[in-house]
Amino acid sequence: MTGDSRIGPPRFGSERDTLRAFLDYHRATLAMKCEGLTDEELRQQSMPPSTLSLLGLVRHMAEVERAWFRRVFEDNDVPLVWSDEIDFQAAYDASASTREEAFTAWEAEVTNSRRIERETESLDQAGDQPRWGEEVSLRMVMVHVLLEYARHNGHADFLREGVDGTVGA
């Protein structure tokens, strides 16, 4: 990994600005963990029986972004990126994936999520979470996605260390 170019969240700010900044910080963290690696290194799996890889995490986070922003606030029926049956596990199979494929999909979903968040008037605005059949607020969606990134960035530390022996940032 090269130098750390992530922009940290503000020390003071509105709730929305803080959530937005933390999300972007964690998105940048995932990208940083994948920096400088070949497709083969990105596909390197953790210890058996796990099939988790950095590329699988990028693919999974594309699904998370789509499921929590697009499916909740725009189109409940939009299919996932790698599964028509709403199988989140399908994204983890990066055995035939490339950096270009995974990052193109992930970056497109992040762009959509940012747009949806900006266009949503209030953190209290509700959207329909199709898997639960219940409404959820933009606040809940942003916190949930932030927690997904935080959890998976912990996995990314472990996976990156397995590839090149670096200590997590």
Side-chain angles (χ1 to χ4, degrees):
M1 290 184 297
T2 59
D4 186 348
S5 61
R6 296 173 296 171
I7 298 171
R11 303 289 187 249
F12 298 93
S14 71
E15 179 183 13
R16 191 168 190 161
D17 288 343
T18 301
L19 287 170
R20 184 183 292 148
F22 266 105
L23 262 173
D24 282 341
Y25 180 81
H26 277 280
R27 288 166 174 150
T29 299
L30 181 58
M32 183 179 78
K33 296 297 177 186
C34 297
E35 202 172 83
L37 298 178
T38 66
D39 286 356
E40 182 178 328
E41 290 169 327
L42 288 168
R43 284 190 297 265
Q44 186 174 317
Q45 297 177 350
S46 65
M47 227 164 54
S50 175
T51 59
L52 193 60
S53 69
L54 284 165
L55 210 51
L57 285 179
V58 172
R59 288 167 50 102
H60 175 69
M61 291 313 297
E63 298 289 33
V64 168
E65 294 271 359
R66 180 176 283 198
W68 283 98
F69 284 96
R70 287 180 67 189
R71 287 179 55 87
V72 169
F73 290 101
E74 284 191 335
D75 180 358
N76 288 164
D77 297 321
V78 69
L80 293 182
V81 182
W82 287 281
S83 170
D84 292 332
E85 289 100 32
I86 315 301
D87 176 7
F88 285 90
Q89 298 303 310
Y92 286 123
D93 181 7
S95 58
S97 186
T98 64
R99 168 190 291 275
E100 182 178 355
E101 177 230 20
F103 273 84
T104 297
W106 177 62
E107 289 165 356
E109 292 306 323
V110 167
T111 297
N112 281 321
S113 296
R114 286 179 176 140
R115 175 188 52 77
I116 290 164
E117 182 271 321
R118 279 191 315 272
E119 292 173 356
T120 304
E121 291 183 26
S122 165
L123 288 174
D124 293 321
Q125 185 167 330
D128 180 52
Q129 208 318 331
R131 290 180 70 200
W132 297 350
E134 296 179 17
E135 288 192 335
V136 294
S137 69
L138 175 62
R139 176 184 292 104
M140 188 272 169
V141 167
M142 291 179 78
V143 169
H144 179 83
V145 174
L146 175 60
L147 291 172
E148 284 272 341
Y149 273 104
R151 185 173 120 228
H152 291 307
N153 281 338
H155 298 141
D157 280 339
F158 172 76
L159 290 163
R160 180 68 192 230
E161 289 170 9
V163 171
D164 65 11
T166 62
V167 175

